[in-house]
Amino acid sequence: MSPFSSLAIFPIDDRDSSPEALAMLLHPKYQDLIVSSPALPLPSESPSPEPKPLECFGRHFPLAPGRCLEEYGAFYVGGSKASPNSDLDPDLSRLLLGWAPGQPFFSCCPDTGQTQDEGVRAGRLRARRRYLVERARDARVVGLLAGTLGVARHCEALAHFRNLTRAAGKRSYVLALGRPTPAKLANFPEMDVFVLLACPLGALAPQPSGSFFRPVLTPCELEAACNPAWPPPGLAPYLTHYADLLPGSPFHVPLPPPESELWDAPDVSLISGELRPPLACRPLNDPGCSALTPRPQLELAESSPAASFLSFRSWQGLELRLGQTPVTEAVSGRRGIAIAYEDEGSS
């Protein structure tokens, strides 16, 4: 007996058949069937088409009136035998994280025809998401990666998350690096976590352990970590587009007022086991820090997370030693290449 009463299919790989042909093949067995398609992001000033189907997880769902997505099971068609590890598929990962836990979810590889239940993988991805939220709560410095500059409301999203991190007592820096890579992000070791602001289809795939020096989070995970009014795990929706978190969206959760008891609730880190200070006790308010840090030479310098990180490093750069080095004339250096200089002779 089929586990599906209502079925949503995701034809990712259409080399052998079109989505319409796949829907016609399955429609006799599943009367309540919808076919999802990618939701391509619109430019900043492009008008949205009308009528617009439900957009969720970076895809469009042509639902019938009165129906909701939580009533459907899912069947994902995609992947290839060249990349058998579907844990690294960003499209499948988004769907597994956001799909209703009580509904069945199966995937099929069109190259091999192998079908498998994705329930175990979904649980593993949700556990990792809770871990990333804990890492964001422990973080003091957050790097906001501007992954898109052409999608609507990206400037509003940057301002929203800067205000969110400031209210949570964290520092944030906006970085425009193009597509993030481990080599690029390793140049910013003072960051505790990174948050990628991009359209749902441009999000990073889950990376193997050890790829990035610091974890890369989604905007939804940062919202869950910094907003004390955000619903607890299991009740909060998984949102893949940063626009869903901004004011005006039905999923927007405003920050509680400063006098709310939510800011004073103590919290224990599930990673380090230490007691986090209440958010109301953390330094916040002005974006520029006015605190001054004394140096051994009785100099005063403006305190910042980057400067504090540099002060604890064993090597802090070249020493200028101005006026302490004798002036000498330039002399002729060695000639040749590094493997065999001329004065070394032949060996």
Side-chain angles (χ1 to χ4, degrees), residues 22-90:
L22 183 59
M24 292 179 60
L25 183 64
L26 296 176
H27 188 73
K29 189 173 183 180
Y30 303 98
Q31 298 297 324
D32 193 357
L33 178 70
I34 60 174
V35 180
S36 173
S37 60
L40 300 179
L42 295 174
S44 301
E45 299 180 356
S46 297
S48 58
E50 295 292 344
K52 186 177 180 181
L54 173 66
E55 181 177 342
C56 196
F57 317 128
R59 306 187 67 85
H60 284 149
F61 296 89
L63 293 176
R67 301 301 304 271
C68 60
L69 198 59
E70 290 75 12
E71 301 173 355
Y72 287 81
F75 190 73
Y76 178 90
V77 183
S80 65
K81 59 182 178 182
S83 56
N85 190 358
S86 56
D87 283 345
L88 306 183
D89 187 342

Side-chain angles (χ1 to χ4, degrees), residues 290-317:
S290 59
L292 299 179
T293 302
R295 290 182 176 176
Q297 296 85 1
L298 300 181
E299 299 176 357
L300 292 179
E302 185 179 358
S303 176
S304 68
S308 301
F309 182 85
L310 180 63
S311 64
F312 288 101
R313 299 186 66 172
S314 59
W315 187 80
Q316 302 179 5

